């Protein structure tokens, strides 16, 4: 009974794992915003930092705060200024004071009217927290140069002490959607691929069982595509401001895919004879796939995209600083693909039973006559 | 080859007997052109291009959808016993290609007549329409063959051919935009190669699949 069920058990376990982890793992520490974000050099800089999921009060004597300015040239070193005073407010907000009126420890060039610094915070519980391009320092006439490199900190730990998902600005808690949205498309591609394979098998063997498999794979694949569209739409609403953006190759690719396979379903519905339906839909499946596949090669380099990894955007791997997302992402992909295959399997079995029952009824009504 | 010519001749005669077909499509093109003329007065070059391709797309879909749908089952059976599927497809393809190119020429001249020429060189846009016509007619021939099996008629044909044509259309529109700025060969060359590659894929796949499709 359980002999052939190992992959179903795997699917359930992985699904439970990925959903629980995806919903309940805590988001890592991060800096939400910093104010003011534009300051001038001739004063003490006072910055109010609001952070998320941090522990500033935990062993607060070990907490370090500093600004980093990257060099403009290769032969220069990067420059760090440390906070000389902090006012503890709460676990997630803090007031920092940086001294720049004694002179920044490097020269502004004549052409540079401002420099941009990253804020780095290290606490005992949270490790390193970075807000890139946190503060802009404007040059004023009264600036001095040649201060000393004030701080080289020994930090206790660079990583947070608890298992977390990486905090990304502008994504915040929605970063966990990557564990639900992306696997849907992976599963859809897998199911459409299977359907293509069975369409080819059908044309070669003319076995009706392959036709039923092929059509069912597409039906279940479309369910996954719909789920991918819905999860994607809500994510897009949060991060990009709209449910659907135009001119994004991935969105358009998804739209074309859906149109194509909905057209496939319409085509199947419009043919009454079973063999003609099987033959025609198999031909359309192969023909459409062959003519849409080039899109995957030509389209991505035609326009820019808002998705990670396209058009100059950083790839997904850059979002996953501590590799924790990956530990849930790959199992989630496998789980959803297996669930797709399983659903198809069940649907095909239901269809077969349906046919059997219909044949039996037809038989009996013949006998009764 | 003689069989292919005979088949094309048969298509032509069939068309000639029902005179309304040719006139209907010509009026369709002219009417849409006129409506655009009324609503836009003057066309921005980018709108010019998109309108050209939209009109071409719809008129060619209308023109090519008839090629298989109008065949009765009896005549298909007759051709099945007379010629090979590749020859039959070739005849349909050449006939549709002729239509597509004719419509392209009419639409292009109509646009130039109504809205003026936006292209610095006439040669490039003709070349684009020619190469595009090969791919579009191949695609539509196969789509029409598939759609003829269903009961949806021209509607089904449109649904089936849209998603399949999008890669080609994207490339064609991009190429046409390049033709606007005088078509720098460096950028256009690779696009042309891609377009020809897609045409080739569509033609090869059509010839592979058609034999399965046409015998019931």
């Amino acid at each position: 009974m359980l002999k052939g069920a190992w992959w179903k058990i795997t699917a359930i376990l992985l699904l439970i794992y990925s959903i629980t982890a995806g919903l309940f793992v805590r988001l890592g520490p991060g800096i939400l915003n910093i104010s003011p974000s534009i300051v001038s050099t001739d004063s003490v800089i006072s910055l109010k930092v609001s952070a998320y999921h941090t522990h500033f009060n935990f062993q607060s004597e070990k907490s370090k705060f500093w600004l980093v300015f990257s060099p403009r040239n290769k032969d220069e070193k990067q420059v760090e200024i440390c906070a000389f005073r902090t006012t503890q407010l709460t676990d997630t907000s803090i007031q920092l004071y940086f001294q720049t009126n004694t002179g920044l420890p490097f020269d502004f060039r004549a052409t540079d009217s401002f420099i941009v610094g990253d804020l780095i915070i290290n606490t005992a519980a949270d490790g390193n927290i970075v807000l890139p391009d946190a503060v802009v320092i404007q040059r004023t006439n009264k600036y001095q140069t040649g201060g000393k490199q004030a701080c080289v900190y020994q930090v206790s730990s660079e990583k947070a002490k608890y298992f977390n998902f990486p905090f990304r600005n502008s994504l915040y808690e929605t970063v966990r959607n990557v564990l639900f949205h992306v696997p849907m498309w992976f599963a859809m591609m897998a199911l459409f691929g299977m359907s293509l394979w069975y369409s080819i098998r059908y044309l070669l063997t003319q076995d009706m069982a392959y036709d039923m498999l092929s059509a069912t794979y597409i039906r279940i694949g479309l369910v996954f595509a719909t789920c991918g569209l819905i999860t994607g739409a809500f994510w897009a609403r949060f991060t990009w401001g709209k449910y659907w953006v135009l001119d994004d190759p991935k969105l358009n690719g998804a739209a074309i895919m859906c149109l194509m396979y909905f057209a496939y379903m319409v085509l199947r519905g419009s043919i009454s004879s079973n063999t003609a339906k099987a033959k025609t839909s198999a031909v359309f499946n192969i023909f459409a796939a062959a003519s849409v596949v080039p899109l995957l090669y030509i389209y991505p380099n035609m326009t820019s995209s808002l998705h990670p990894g396209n058009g100059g955007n950083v790839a997904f791997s850059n979002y996953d600083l501590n590799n924790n997302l990956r530990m849930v992402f790959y199992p989630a992909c496998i789980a959803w693909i297996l669930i797709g295959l399983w659903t198809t399997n069940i649907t095909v079995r239901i269809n077969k039973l349906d046919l059997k029952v219909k044949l039996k009824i037809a038989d009996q009504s013949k006998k009764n006559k | 080859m003689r069989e292919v010519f005979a088949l094309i001749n048969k298509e032509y005669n069939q068309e000639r007997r029902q005179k309304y077909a040719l006139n209907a499509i010509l009026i369709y093109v002219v009417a849409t052109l006129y409506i655009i003329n009324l609503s836009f007065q003057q066309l921005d070059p980018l709108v010019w291009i998109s309108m050209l391709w939209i009109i071409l797309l719809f008129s060619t879909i209308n023109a090519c959808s008839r090629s298989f749908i109008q065949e009765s089952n009896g005549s298909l059976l007759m051709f099945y016993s007379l010629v090979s599927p590749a020859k039959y497809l070739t005849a349909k393809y050449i006939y549709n290609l002729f239509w597509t190119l004719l419509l392209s020429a009419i639409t292009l001249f109509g646009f130039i007549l109504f809205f003026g020429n936006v292209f610095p060189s006439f040669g490039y846009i003709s070349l684009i329409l020619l190469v595009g016509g090969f791919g579009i007619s191949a695609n539509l021939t196969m789509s029409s063959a598939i759609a003829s099996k269903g009961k949806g008629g021209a509607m089904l044909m449109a649904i089936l051919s849209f998603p399949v044509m999008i890669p080609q259309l994207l490339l064609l529109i991009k190429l046409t935009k390049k033709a606007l700025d005088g078509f720098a060969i460096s950028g256009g060359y690779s696009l042309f190669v891609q377009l020809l590659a897609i045409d080739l894929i569509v033609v090869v796949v059509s010839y592979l699949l058609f034999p399965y499709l046409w015998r019931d």
Side-chain angles (χ1 to χ4, degrees), chain B residues 82-95:
Chain B
L82 286 177
V83 291
S84 74
K87 277 173 186 159
Y88 190 69
L89 185 67
T90 314
K92 289 278 186 196
Y93 177 44
I94 291 174
Y95 192 69

Side-chain angles (χ1 to χ4, degrees), chain B:
Chain B
M1 215 54 214
R2 274 230 320 276
E3 288 150 323
V4 174
F5 279 127
L7 280 169
I8 295 173
N9 197 25
K10 167 242 144 201
E11 293 281 331
Y12 168 71
N13 282 326
Q14 204 170 356
E15 200 81 63
R16 208 176 40 134
R17 260 176 235 148
Q18 19 174 287
K19 284 195 189 81
Y20 70 92
L22 173 71
N23 298 338
I25 284 175
L26 288 182
I27 288 172
Y28 180 91
V29 171
V30 173
T32 20
L33 265 173
Y34 195 65
I35 288 169
I36 291 173
N37 188 24
L38 283 180
S39 48
F40 278 98
Q41 314 289 342
Q42 194 144 29
L43 280 189
D44 183 59
L46 287 181
V47 183
W48 203 107
I49 289 173
S50 5
M51 283 296 165
L52 175 78
W53 281 112
I54 289 171
I55 291 185
L56 256 182
L57 179 67
F58 280 94
S59 54
T60 44
I61 283 179
N62 270 329
C64 298
S65 67
R66 290 166 307 121
S67 67
F68 277 91
I69 292 171
Q70 68 185 0
E71 299 283 1
S72 65
N73 276 333
S75 69
L76 270 181
L77 196 66
M78 184 185 83
F79 292 124
Y80 178 52
S81 59
L82 286 177
V83 291
S84 74
K87 277 173 186 159
Y88 190 69
L89 185 67
T90 314
K92 289 278 186 196
Y93 177 44
I94 291 174
Y95 192 69
N96 280 341
L97 179 66
F98 162 74
W99 265 106
T100 311
L101 293 181
L102 182 70
L103 282 173
S104 310
I106 291 170
T107 320
L108 182 66
F109 281 118
F111 262 80
I112 289 172
L113 196 71
F114 277 119
F115 307 110
N117 189 4
V118 290
F119 299 103
S121 158
F122 198 70
Y124 291 130
I125 183 66
S126 317
L127 187 65
I128 291 167
L129 286 176
L130 186 70
V131 177
F134 277 101
I136 287 178
S137 49
N139 236 327
L140 286 177
T141 309
M142 196 59 192
S143 299
S144 132
I146 293 171
S148 68
K149 301 284 173 188
K151 284 177 295 204
M155 186 70 178
L156 186 62
M157 164 86 186
I159 293 175
L160 294 183
S161 55
F162 272 141
V164 174
M165 297 237 291
I166 286 174
Q168 278 176 358
L169 276 178
L170 282 172
L171 273 178
L172 283 170
I173 289 172
K174 185 137 202 234
L175 266 172
T176 324
K177 276 182 192 163
K178 276 204 184 294
L180 269 186
D181 342 314
F183 198 74
I185 279 295
S186 56
Y189 181 71
S190 70
L191 283 180
F192 251 113
V193 172
Q194 285 175 5
L195 190 62
L196 283 172
I198 291 186
D199 290 2
L200 194 69
I201 290 175
V202 172
V203 170
V204 169
V205 173
S206 308
Y207 276 99
L208 283 178
L209 290 177
F210 187 68
Y212 292 104
L213 187 68
W214 90 320
R215 67 179 98 104
D216 271 335

Side-chain angles (χ1 to χ4, degrees), chain A residues 75-89:
Chain A
D75 47 323
E76 286 175 13
K77 276 195 209 161
Q78 74 169 22
V79 172
E80 293 160 358
I81 347 175
C82 301
F84 72 93
R85 193 153 65 85
T86 59
T87 328
Q88 219 88 344
L89 300 172

Side-chain angles (χ1 to χ4, degrees), chain A residues 67-275:
Chain A
L67 289 170
V68 176
F69 300 94
S70 326
R72 301 267 165 114
N73 288 338
K74 273 182 188 168
D75 47 323
E76 286 175 13
K77 276 195 209 161
Q78 74 169 22
V79 172
E80 293 160 358
I81 347 175
C82 301
F84 72 93
R85 193 153 65 85
T86 59
T87 328
Q88 219 88 344
L89 300 172
T90 61
D91 252 355
T92 55
S93 78
I94 199 164
Q95 190 86 25
L96 304 175
Y97 300 93
F98 296 92
Q99 200 138 28
T100 57
N101 57 350
T102 57
L104 282 165
F106 63 97
D107 295 336
F108 272 129
R109 220 111 349 116
T111 47
D112 298 342
S113 54
F114 64 89
I115 49 172
V116 181
D118 308 338
L119 177 68
I120 302 182
I121 297 175
N122 184 286
T123 72
D126 307 315
N128 272 355
I129 312 163
V130 185
L131 179 65
D133 303 337
V135 62
V136 177
I137 300 187
Q138 284 176 322
R139 188 175 65 168
T140 60
N141 290 328
K142 288 193 285 176
Y143 78 98
Q144 289 175 300
T145 59
K148 60 183 186 298
Q149 179 95 11
C151 56
V152 179
Y153 273 137
Q154 293 292 314
V155 294
S156 43
S157 151
E158 293 201 343
K159 281 188 177 169
K161 287 228 161 71
Y162 50 91
F163 186 83
N164 61 9
F165 287 150
F167 175 94
R168 300 300 303 186
N169 284 97
S170 87
L171 287 181
Y172 310 117
E173 291 281 0
T174 65
V175 78
R176 52 186 89 239
N177 198 7
V178 90
L179 308 170
F180 300 95
H181 170 65
V182 185
M184 295 299 156
W185 297 114
F186 278 47
M188 183 203 77
M189 293 305 286
L191 292 174
F192 286 169
M194 293 294 282
S195 130
L196 186 62
W197 167 242
Y198 281 117
S199 282
I200 296 170
R201 291 284 294 275
Y202 172 76
L203 283 188
L204 295 178
T205 60
Q206 312 285 326
D207 184 347
M208 286 303 277
Y210 290 138
D211 170 62
M212 185 192 275
L213 272 170
S214 170
T216 318
Y217 272 117
I218 284 182
R219 251 165 67 198
I220 307 299
L222 279 172
V223 173
F224 277 90
T226 315
C227 292
L229 282 180
I230 292 169
T231 50
F234 281 106
W235 208 5
R237 176 79 183 84
F238 185 82
T239 50
W240 305 334
K242 281 180 189 168
Y243 288 108
W244 187 271
V245 288
L246 293 171
D247 218 30
D248 187 286
K250 287 214 166 116
L251 286 174
N252 287 339
I256 293 167
M257 275 274 184
C258 290
L259 276 181
M260 196 173 104
Y261 286 106
F262 278 118
Y264 173 94
M265 298 313 291
V266 172
L267 178 67
R268 277 187 83 82
S270 75
I271 306 172
S272 44
S273 146
N274 271 336
T275 46

